[in-house]
Amino acid sequence: MSSSSTSYQIRHAQPGDLAAILDILNHYVETHHCTFDTEPWSAEQKQGWFDGFSYSGPYQLLVAEFERQVVGYAHSSRWRPKTGYDVTAETTVYVDHRFQAKGIGHALMQSLVSRIADSGLTSLVAGISQPAPGSNRLHESLGYQSVGTFRGVGWKFGRGWDVRWYQLSLTQEN
């Protein structure tokens, strides 16, 4: 399927989407260093996480749907537990490995940033395990700037992985 023939819609996640989201995530848990989860998630384990999102405000969960199938998701979540950090959210995006490089991740992130931009946040951050040239390009294309790399902070598949941090300012003064 070519990218020009891929027609999908971006919408807020619905209760029935959790299984499809976990199918996408668990593929990467088992095969890739882009997540430092090391054991697949069950619906019961992730239900509280899923229920924590809303249709407005800074913490939202969006999905991309193609032919009634969820093929990707993006979300914003609390970055750090201290109240002083509540002006910043962390963003995450995953696309079904069979639908990579079709613009779905970009559309998801663009929609997410647009929907949360006026929610009182001043910054968005994203930590991307390296190497990940596609994810780096995606975030840079949306205006995220690389602000530093933590060396060897993630451990998976018997080795350490670097995490490059990106930040997107949502205010003019930053």
Side-chain angles (χ1 to χ4, degrees), residues 75-154:
H75 67 83
S76 53
S77 57
R78 192 170 191 199
W79 181 47
R80 304 276 308 241
K82 296 178 181 171
T83 306
Y85 288 117
D86 285 350
V87 296
T88 301
E90 185 170 357
T91 58
T92 302
V93 60
Y94 287 99
V95 175
D96 184 308
H97 66 281
R98 297 165 293 186
F99 288 83
Q100 293 279 326
K102 297 183 183 308
I104 295 170
H106 188 275
L108 276 163
M109 286 294 292
Q110 192 171 41
S111 183
L112 180 66
V113 170
S114 174
R115 291 175 193 229
I116 64 176
D118 293 327
S119 63
L121 297 170
T122 61
S123 290
L124 301 177
V125 297
I128 302 173
S129 59
Q130 298 297 307
S135 291
N136 296 341
R137 281 191 304 275
L138 166 64
H139 284 79
E140 290 164 1
S141 75
L142 293 165
Y144 283 74
Q145 296 180 340
S146 177
V147 292
T149 299
F150 294 165
R151 303 282 176 208
V153 295

Side-chain angles (χ1 to χ4, degrees), residues 15-38:
D17 295 331
L18 181 56
I21 289 169
L22 290 179
D23 285 345
I24 294 167
L25 175 59
N26 285 336
H27 167 80
Y28 293 109
V29 168
E30 295 175 334
T31 65
H32 205 275
H33 67 275
C34 63
T35 174
F36 294 126
D37 292 320
T38 57

